[in-house]
Amino acid sequence: MRAIRFEAFGDPSVLELVEVATPATDEKRALVRIMAASINPSDVKNVAGAMKQTTLPRIPGRDFAGVVEAGPEEWIGAQVWGTGGDMRFTRDGSHAEFIVVPAASLRRKPDTLSFDQAASVAVNYVAAWCGIEAAGLTAEETVLLIGAGGGVGSAAAQIARRLGASVIGVDRRAPHPELIDFYRNEGRLVGVDTLKRDVTASAKVLDALTPGFAAGDYRASPIVEICGLGEAREAYRKVAAAAAGPIVLRPQE
């Protein structure tokens, strides 16, 4: 199969388009044909060496959508999506024609999302969901979202609205001097790390998100560019330069 791989850390120039063996499966693992895979800022940071847990050589890429080629019989031909904190670090990622994942992590792609859309929303919505879940947000509460215009912030706003909570979005400008003090308002600041949720744990979050996508309450950000594996280096450079929206790889093209 064709794949993007790096054998040393650095800028996107270290990425190489290579031919490697299609990974093998067994009774506990499934082979997925990648139809679309997004490039996230964290993918660029990983290639640059920012994640010390990464072992080399490595195929990068976290989020994906595709079709099950081999694995449990009931999953053959199913359209699936996935993400995982372990992918691209100690497990080869999604920037390839195929990927092997635990059968327990397989989740059907929402029909309301195309392959491109399904591959471009997972990391943002998983991070947003984990944050809101950790905060214990309820319908009677108000959530303050800093950076609400970004990918994770926008996802968090949609999730909070679906819960029935009130949402206040904050931008990068200086706050108004009459904002109520954080402690007097009994606010809560919560941190989450999606890297600690592997592909199987992340699949449980996708289960929770699927009804929102099926109902149309969650929406994918407009994709700014679609490219093949041969254009991955330039696509990585654009993501590193803060692209205006998701960039998606189609490995089969």
Side-chain angles (χ1 to χ4, degrees), residues 64 75 81-83 101-107 199-204 206:
F64 68 90
W75 282 98
W81 64 330
T83 185
V101 296
S105 74
L106 293 174
R107 294 297 187 276
V199 64
T200 302
S202 296
K204 297 177 181 178
L206 295 182

Side-chain angles (χ1 to χ4, degrees), residues 14 25 27 38 52 63 66 83 91 113 150 187 190 223-224 228-229 241:
V14 302
T25 61
E27 66 277 3
S38 63
K52 302 304 180 184
D63 297 353
T83 185
R91 175 195 300 279
L113 296 177
V190 178
I223 295 168
V224 298
L229 291 178

Side-chain angles (χ1 to χ4, degrees), residues 103-120:
S105 74
L106 293 174
R107 294 297 187 276
R108 296 184 185 274
K109 175 183 71 65
D111 292 337
T112 52
L113 296 177
S114 68
F115 283 118
D116 293 336
Q117 290 172 325
S120 67

Side-chain angles (χ1 to χ4, degrees), residues 1 13-14 21 38 50 68 81 95 112 152 154 156-157 192 195 199 213 216 219 234 246 251-252:
M1 70 174 186
S13 65
V14 302
S38 63
V68 178
W81 64 330
H95 295 171
T112 52
V152 176
S154 175
V192 297
L195 297 185
V199 64
F213 282 107
R219 63 184 184 278
E234 184 58 28
Q252 306 300 325

Side-chain angles (χ1 to χ4, degrees), residues 100-153:
V100 162
V101 296
S105 74
L106 293 174
R107 294 297 187 276
R108 296 184 185 274
K109 175 183 71 65
D111 292 337
T112 52
L113 296 177
S114 68
F115 283 118
D116 293 336
Q117 290 172 325
S120 67
V121 297
V123 68
N124 288 334
Y125 276 88
V126 167
W129 180 272
C130 290
I132 286 179
E133 182 180 52
L137 184 68
T138 66
E140 296 77 23
E141 295 181 312
T142 297
V143 60
L144 174 67
L145 297 176
I146 299 173
V152 176

Side-chain angles (χ1 to χ4, degrees), residues 15-213:
L15 296 171
E16 297 288 346
L17 179 58
V18 297
E19 288 279 349
V20 297
T22 301
T25 61
D26 53 37
E27 66 277 3
K28 294 183 179 180
R29 299 187 298 168
L31 180 69
V32 177
R33 178 185 294 273
I34 301 294
M35 304 305 294
S38 63
I39 303 174
N40 295 302
S42 60
D43 296 322
V44 178
K45 293 177 182 178
N46 183 41
V47 172
M51 283 69 166
K52 302 304 180 184
Q53 65 268 46
T54 303
T55 56
L56 300 178
R58 185 60 58 209
I59 296 172
R62 173 171 176 158
D63 297 353
F64 68 90
V67 178
V68 178
E69 293 273 315
E73 185 176 353
E74 65 272 20
W75 282 98
I76 303 300
Q79 297 183 1
V80 297
W81 64 330
T83 185
D86 55 341
M87 292 170 59
R88 73 226 160 112
F89 301 138
T90 57
R91 175 195 300 279
D92 276 339
S94 59
H95 295 171
E97 291 182 309
F98 295 92
I99 189 172
V100 162
V101 296
S105 74
L106 293 174
R107 294 297 187 276
R108 296 184 185 274
K109 175 183 71 65
D111 292 337
T112 52
L113 296 177
S114 68
F115 283 118
D116 293 336
Q117 290 172 325
S120 67
V121 297
V123 68
N124 288 334
Y125 276 88
V126 167
W129 180 272
C130 290
I132 286 179
E133 182 180 52
L137 184 68
T138 66
E140 296 77 23
E141 295 181 312
T142 297
V143 60
L144 174 67
L145 297 176
I146 299 173
V152 176
S154 175
Q158 294 171 59
I159 293 170
R161 284 198 298 268
R162 180 174 167 83
L163 288 174
S166 298
V167 178
I168 299 174
V170 179
D171 61 22
R172 295 182 179 181
R173 290 173 291 185
H176 193 279
E178 297 179 4
L179 281 173
I180 298 175
D181 288 346
F182 186 78
Y183 78 93
R184 290 177 180 169
N185 199 36
E186 296 187 345
R188 285 174 288 168
L189 181 64
V190 178
V192 297
D193 183 4
T194 62
L195 297 185
K196 293 183 173 64
R197 292 168 174 81
D198 65 15
V199 64
T200 302
S202 296
K204 297 177 181 178
V205 181
L206 295 182
D207 285 337
L209 290 168
T210 294
F213 282 107

